[in-house]
Amino acid sequence: MSKIVMLTVAAAYVNGVMRHPHEGPRHLEDSEADRLINGKEAVDVTSDFTAEQRETMPVEPTAAEPVPAAVLLAADATDHQANVPATEPAAAGEAPKSKKETSK
């Protein structure tokens, strides 16, 4: 069987993929749908759909293994501020160096 759920939180992992509520209802296998519903991350909206709509809406495949957060973070190539090396502060009494000299 399967259920159609709608996310209620800002974002949640659905079948190992980050999903957002604006993406609309998700047609999921019972185990994944129950996990989201029990965690209060989604609500069951199956009754809002007709039997014909449920049959035509494809069920999302379940990921073999959930993607660990460490793997997702490693794949993020964004150079966050925390990763940028600190710069040395200017010596006392020394004016900060300007990036561009202006003409007078």
Side-chain angles (χ1 to χ4, degrees), residues 3-75:
K3 292 180 184 171
I4 300 174
V5 299
M6 186 71 176
L7 293 178
T8 58
V9 294
Y13 281 99
V14 178
N15 290 325
V17 177
M18 182 64 73
R19 298 291 185 185
H20 302 274
H22 72 270
E23 295 176 12
R26 323 272 343 147
H27 196 181
L28 306 172
E29 294 179 8
D30 282 338
S31 60
E32 184 69 0
D34 290 340
R35 181 187 70 79
L36 292 167
I37 293 167
N38 292 337
K40 298 189 183 343
E41 296 175 299
V43 292
D44 186 351
V45 294
T46 306
S47 61
D48 295 347
F49 293 84
T50 65
E52 184 179 316
Q53 288 173 320
R54 289 192 300 263
E55 287 176 15
T56 59
M57 184 183 244
V59 178
E60 291 186 25
T62 303
E65 291 183 24
V67 179
V71 172
L72 293 172
L73 291 173

Side-chain angles (χ1 to χ4, degrees), residues 89-97:
E94 184 179 314
K97 297 178 183 176

Side-chain angles (χ1 to χ4, degrees), residues 68-91:
V71 172
L72 293 172
L73 291 173
D76 183 9
T78 306
D79 194 16
H80 298 283
Q81 185 175 359
N83 299 333
V84 176
T87 57
E88 291 295 322

